[in-house]
Amino acid sequence: MSERHVLVLPDRDAAEEVAEELTGRFGVAEEPQLVRDALAGEDDAEDAQWLVVVEDPEGLLDPAALDGFAAEYEGWLEAP
């Protein structure tokens, strides 16, 4: 079953590191997508969170492991 996982990170640097690390650590084949997520009502770019969108076509990734991995970078896995 195809799934999409969204990791929420505090800044771009963390998001880029997570995206790079996903391939080696979890065997993610498709390159994760980075998306800037400005918080509602915030104009300051410093207050933006970054999302790392991971496609999981086979449904093989463990959400708990992804959440723990994101936590290492002060982030979390968005609940589906």
Side-chain angles (χ1 to χ4, degrees):
M1 176 165 125
S2 181
E3 292 185 42
R4 172 179 286 156
H5 305 282
V6 179
L7 304 175
V8 182
L9 285 305
D11 56 47
R12 183 180 186 135
D13 289 342
E16 288 175 347
E17 282 185 48
V18 164
E20 286 178 26
E21 189 75 21
L22 279 167
T23 304
R25 198 143 162 192
F26 291 94
V28 173
E30 198 173 314
E31 186 170 332
Q33 185 180 7
L34 274 71
V35 180
R36 183 178 174 274
D37 182 33
L39 299 176
E42 296 292 339
D43 293 328
D44 187 355
E46 296 300 314
D47 290 329
Q49 293 175 324
W50 282 79
L51 308 179
V52 177
V53 181
V54 182
E55 299 296 336
D56 184 12
E58 306 296 320
L60 300 176
L61 297 174
D62 177 9
L66 288 172
D67 188 47
F69 174 60
E72 294 174 25
Y73 294 86
E74 299 179 16
W76 64 89
L77 175 67
E78 190 71 29

